[in-house]
């Protein structure tokens, strides 16, 4: 009866196994080093998300007749804020809409702007709309607002922002803003909406 051949360990480890082990070790070390670097950068720069907010608004003109045609001129200032102490920020593709009772009155846009560290950049808009027909519900709201001397407009939109550290690290965000601007038609002053910010979205 033949004897069973006992199992024997190979005398040498396969080069492929050594190669895989070395690659895994390199990847593990790289992951640890990357984590330490990212943590160190965060502690040094303490990044803050840039944001936008409304700093001023005024109703320069409101034309409305009993046929339901509405025309307005509104001045709005939206500030792009960068509170990062050690990194510049950029804002681009800014698109906003001014609405009354869900009806778009005007669209506002801005090109790309760069905001240095610890500073802000004002985006000044003067919205002039042509005569816009209102439906029955919007006419009722406008009549009520004129009687109470308080008319509200919706201000909604978004912009892209990015802040960069050095030449390698770049962080991007999409900022949304949704506000209610309230005015006194009697003198055009703002009575609500100043300070509304993208921080709440």
């Amino acid at each position: 009866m033949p004897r069973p051949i006992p199992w024997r360990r190979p005398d040498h480890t396969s080069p492929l196994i050594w190669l895989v082990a070395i690659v895994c070790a390199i990847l593990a070390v790289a992951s640890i080093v990357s984590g330490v670097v990212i943590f160190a950068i965060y502690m040094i720069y303490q990044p803050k998300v840039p944001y936008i907010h409304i700093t001023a608004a005024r109703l320069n003109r409101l034309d409305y007749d009993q046929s339901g045609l509405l025309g307005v001129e509104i001045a709005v200032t939206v500030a792009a804020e960068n509170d990062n102490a050690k990194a510049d920020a950029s804002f681009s593709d800014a698109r906003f809409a001014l609405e009354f009772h869900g009806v778009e009155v005007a669209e506002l846009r801005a090109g790309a702007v760069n905001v240095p560290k610890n500073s802000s950049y004002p985006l000044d808009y003067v919205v002039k709309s042509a005569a816009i027909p209102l439906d029955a519900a919007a006419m009722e709201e406008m009549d009520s607002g004129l009687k109470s001397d308080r008319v509200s407009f919706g201000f909604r939109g978004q912009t892209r922002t990015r802040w960069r550290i050095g030449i390698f690290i770049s962080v991007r965000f999409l900022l949304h803003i949704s506000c209610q601007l309230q005015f006194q038609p009697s003198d055009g002053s703002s009575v609500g909406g100043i300070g509304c910010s993208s921080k709440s979205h």
Side-chain angles (χ1 to χ4, degrees):
M1 179 176 181
R3 295 181 179 180
I5 300 175
W7 178 81
R8 297 177 59 187
R9 293 176 56 187
D11 295 333
H12 302 286
T13 303
S14 169
L16 180 61
I17 294 177
W18 277 111
L19 179 61
V20 171
I22 292 172
V23 170
C24 290
I26 293 174
L27 291 177
V29 172
S31 298
I32 294 173
V33 171
S34 299
V36 171
V37 169
I38 292 174
F39 179 74
I41 290 174
Y42 178 84
M43 294 303 295
I44 292 171
Y45 285 87
Q46 296 183 352
K48 299 178 182 178
V49 178
Y51 66 98
I52 53 176
H53 66 123
I54 295 177
T55 59
R58 180 169 182 80
L59 179 63
N60 294 335
R61 176 179 59 83
L62 190 154
D63 297 327
Y64 174 71
D65 59 31
Q66 295 304 310
S67 65
L69 293 178
L70 172 67
V72 298
E73 178 179 308
I74 296 177
V76 182
T77 299
V78 181
E81 299 283 350
N82 177 21
D83 288 343
N84 286 289
K86 299 180 180 180
D88 293 349
S90 63
F91 294 78
S92 61
D93 297 329
R95 296 183 179 185
F96 309 108
L98 186 71
E99 305 171 345
F100 178 77
H101 196 76
V103 179
E104 185 173 305
V105 175
E107 184 180 42
L108 302 79
R109 296 191 180 191
V113 297
N114 187 67
V115 183
K117 55 189 177 183
N118 273 340
S119 62
S120 65
Y121 186 93
L123 302 173
D124 296 315
Y125 298 98
V126 177
V127 182
K128 297 180 180 179
S129 76
I132 299 171
L134 302 181
D135 59 22
M139 291 175 61
E140 184 176 347
E141 181 176 333
M142 178 59 71
D143 292 336
S144 177
L146 292 175
K147 290 178 181 178
S148 62
D149 198 27
R150 178 167 296 197
V151 176
S152 297
F153 291 87
F155 185 89
R156 313 179 197 282
Q158 65 183 33
T159 183
R160 299 183 185 277
T161 183
R162 180 181 69 176
W163 61 263
R164 180 185 294 276
I165 298 174
I167 60 175
F168 298 108
I169 300 178
S170 177
V171 184
R172 300 171 184 267
F173 298 94
L174 183 61
L175 306 178
H176 296 272
I177 191 169
S178 179
C179 310
Q180 284 293 318
L181 301 178
Q182 296 183 329
F183 302 97
Q184 286 183 329
S186 58
D187 59 10
S189 61
S190 173
V191 291
I194 303 300
C196 180
S197 168
S198 64
K199 278 186 172 183
S200 60
H201 297 274

